[in-house]
Amino acid sequence: MSTIRLAGETDFDGWRRMARRYAAAGVVPDALIWCVDEDDLFAGEAAPPPPKTGELTVPAAFLPLARTAILHKEPARFALLYTLLWRLREEKGLLDVSVDPLVARIEGMAKSVRRDIHKMHAFVRFREHPDERGIHYVSWFEPEHHIVEAAAPFFQRRFAAMRWSILTPEQSAHWNGIDLTIGPGVPKPPAEVDDAEDLWRTYYASIFNPARLKVSAMRSEMPRKYWKNLPEAPLIAPLIREAASRSAQMVDAGPQQPNARPQSQEHLMSRADAGEMLPGLAALAREAARCRSCPLWKPATQTVFGEGPEDAELVLVGEQPGDREDLAGRPFVGPAGEVLDRALAEAGIDRTRAYVTNAVKHFKFTPRGKKRLHQKPDAGEIEACRFWLSGELEVVRPRLVVALGATALQSLAGKALPIGKNRGRIMAIGDLNVLATVHPSYLLRLPDADAREREYGRFVDDLRLAVRSA
Ligand code: URA
């Protein structure tokens, strides 16, 4: 029996190095004890690892799965992952067998970790703490799993201009405007109600739309255990109680004149109120509605943000909103959306369970008489909008992203890649699994009916591969 000591609860690199060595040397899972250095439980000398032998090859999907599942609180996770790695040596297609008990268990662990990260992104609330250097924003959160390091970069990007700390019982993350550091956990600081929280409550009460109340959706997305740390939580029950009478007053007051041109921010906020999007994405959408990072915002009607469940396993990324999407404020509702919907249905994908978005969030067009003709976004515009797409992916953390066309692929990869060469296979881009395929408008543009039918069939096949792999 050999004991392997890892440097910490989230020491994926250490686990990976050791697991590769032991598996390549043919050491069976039962002959290993995995533990973390601070555990006294298995005190005793760690055995020297076996000498490095031949390389081990595993399917590309194993690494992102293992990297996520290792953050689970389950103490046996290192051993479970080693057993999976061990079996993958012989059973190459094992990861596709979702009914295999070990695969199902590890997939379930990864899902629970992704959900925990998503909840942390959505439910962290910063309180202002003035200090000698200005305002330090501090938050307290209690994650279920070992996710602080994995969740922290999201806050670094979102709150780059603030100094902040997120404290949790196990670890804390600190951002000083330059460096992100991970430190030890801390006991819960005393709850302080300050002006910032009062502002939060006023804001929450003002955006709460009684006519769109969905109590069950709110409950499922905002589980009780998070309430105690949310400044808006005390408001929820009274607002729900008053919702019926407030809605009746709104009906009595009659319709208001709609804006000739919708105010993008209000529009997005009301979608958030309707429970269509969850707080993490809703906050991101509110920020995106004010984006001025490239000139496309000016002639466009509004920012068209993504839509769909925040825990979707599949994300579909298009190029940019078209004419119809620009007016409706929703992605893929025009002719390309019709083709996409039909193909999704044929591939057995329920669109409402996927998150659908675009690489660029504003419609780029040239006015031609009464028409607005689509123009391809350039590299600078794609780059300026990457911030929003990565924010969405950070919150949703899907199992697979489908890049619909070259612009989507360019945004995901950070550089132009040809669709033809990369189509129909799953690529690892950073920690994302990406499947590239054509854009549905390409199918609409094909002049020859036979070619259209053939290409449409290939498109549906790509989507079928997506659903099998997500
Ligand atoms: N084309 C896209 O890429 N996205 C849309 O939302 C609509 C058309």
Side-chain angles (χ1 to χ4, degrees):
M1 192 68 101
S2 303
T3 299
I4 305 174
R5 296 185 163 281
L6 299 174
E9 298 286 359
T10 56
D11 180 13
F12 177 73
D13 292 339
W15 176 87
R16 183 181 175 192
R17 210 172 37 250
M18 287 298 149
R20 277 182 171 276
R21 268 225 203 165
Y22 279 90
V27 181
V28 296
D30 285 350
L32 295 176
I33 295 175
W34 294 87
C35 64
V36 172
D37 231 0
E38 57 255 31
D39 283 346
D40 287 333
L41 202 56
F42 297 103
E45 272 311 294
K52 228 175 160 197
T53 42
E55 274 308 307
L56 192 69
T57 49
V58 287
F62 175 71
L63 278 187
L65 175 67
R67 203 184 281 282
T68 307
I70 214 163
L71 306 181
H72 199 277
K73 269 274 158 69
E74 167 61 63
R77 64 198 182 281
F78 306 120
L80 290 170
L81 285 168
Y82 183 75
T83 307
L84 183 58
L85 175 72
W86 178 258
R87 287 183 54 195
L88 280 169
R89 295 174 335 146
E90 304 292 334
E91 302 168 62
K92 297 288 180 214
L94 178 59
L95 291 182
D96 294 329
V97 188
S98 51
V99 291
D100 179 276
L102 180 62
V103 173
R105 184 161 172 201
I106 291 177
E107 296 277 10
M109 284 161 55
K111 188 166 184 182
S112 163
V113 166
R114 282 196 293 270
R115 192 157 180 81
D116 201 27
I117 292 174
H118 150 67
K119 294 291 179 204
M120 181 162 169
H121 290 165
F123 294 130
V124 155
R125 298 284 184 269
F126 289 105
R127 276 96 164 143
E128 287 185 15
H129 283 265
D131 64 15
E132 66 293 346
R133 291 174 50 208
I135 305 280
H136 183 193
Y137 292 84
V138 180
S139 168
W140 167 260
F141 190 76
E142 292 166 77
E144 263 178 50
H145 303 296
H146 306 289
I147 58 162
V148 173
E149 270 174 280
F154 168 85
F155 297 98
Q156 176 186 347
R157 283 193 296 279
R158 295 277 304 283
F159 302 108
M162 292 161 40
R163 280 185 304 121
W164 54 256
S165 294
I166 302 174
L167 312 176
T168 84
E170 185 183 296
Q171 283 186 313
S172 36
H174 309 273
W175 171 250
N176 61 8
I178 299 168
D179 296 313
L180 178 67
T181 46
I182 305 294
V186 294
K188 183 172 171 48
E192 288 178 25
V193 176
D194 55 25
D195 290 349
E197 290 197 15
D198 286 344
L199 279 176
W200 229 108
R201 291 198 187 114
T202 312
Y203 167 72
Y204 184 81
S206 72
I207 62 163
F208 183 87
N209 184 342
R212 294 184 143 160
L213 177 65
K214 280 194 197 153
V215 178
S216 58
M218 281 175 78
R219 272 209 192 101
S220 78
E221 294 310 335
M222 208 189 264
R224 248 168 213 285
K225 66 177 183 173
Y226 297 106
W227 292 14
K228 61 182 185 296
N229 293 317
L230 292 177
E232 70 269 31
L235 290 182
I236 295 174
L239 284 171
I240 290 175
R241 271 198 305 277
E242 288 164 17
S245 63
R246 281 182 64 197
S247 306
Q249 281 167 16
M250 282 162 75
V251 171
D252 287 347
Q256 290 180 347
Q257 245 350 74
N259 285 339
R261 211 173 130 103
Q263 285 295 310
S264 48
Q265 205 175 334
E266 285 166 22
H267 172 78
L268 286 165
M269 288 203 300
S270 69
R271 282 175 54 187
D273 297 344
E276 266 186 54
M277 293 185 291
L278 310 179
L281 290 174
L284 207 54
R286 271 194 296 277
E287 288 174 39
R290 289 190 291 262
C291 183
R292 303 287 184 263
S293 305
C294 80
L296 294 186
W297 67 273
K298 216 164 182 184
T301 307
Q302 58 193 311
T303 301
V304 179
F305 205 70
E307 65 178 18
E310 230 174 65
D311 58 354
E313 302 204 322
L314 186 66
V315 168
L316 301 164
V317 184
E319 181 194 70
Q320 62 166 350
D323 184 72
R324 294 265 290 279
E325 287 79 13
D326 169 78
L327 296 171
R330 297 184 53 206
F332 283 107
V333 292
E338 277 170 29
V339 177
L340 179 65
D341 285 350
R342 190 151 57 86
L344 287 173
E346 273 182 48
I349 299 173
D350 175 357
R351 173 166 168 169
T352 63
R353 299 191 53 192
Y355 186 79
V356 180
T357 189
N358 282 301
V360 172
K361 311 288 190 227
H362 283 113
F363 178 34
K364 180 174 179 183
F365 61 92
T366 328
R368 183 74 48 84
K370 282 190 180 165
K371 286 205 170 144
R372 304 188 297 171
L373 300 184
H374 165 274
Q375 271 196 301
K376 225 174 148 40
D378 65 29
E381 288 148 0
I382 297 170
E383 187 55 35
C385 230
R386 278 184 85 207
F387 175 84
W388 301 115
L389 180 60
S390 5
E392 289 171 292
L393 292 169
E394 194 76 51
V395 175
V396 178
R397 294 203 148 230
R399 296 190 51 176
L400 186 79
V401 183
V402 178
L404 299 166
T407 302
L409 187 58
Q410 177 167 349
S411 175
L412 292 162
K415 60 179 178 198
L417 294 175
I419 290 291
K421 271 201 193 145
N422 294 293
R423 175 175 193 179
R425 66 186 174 89
I426 302 198
M427 297 180 267
I429 299 182
D431 58 359
L432 295 173
N433 290 321
V434 176
L435 173 70
T437 184
V438 293
H439 190 283
S441 334
Y442 158 75
L443 304 170
L444 286 171
R445 285 195 305 266
L446 287 172
D448 164 8
D450 285 349
R452 218 166 29 238
E453 197 172 322
R454 196 174 52 246
E455 284 302 307
Y456 176 79
R458 287 185 69 199
F459 182 55
V460 173
D461 285 346
D462 288 343
L463 295 175
R464 287 203 179 104
L465 173 62
V467 73
R468 280 201 306 277
S469 316

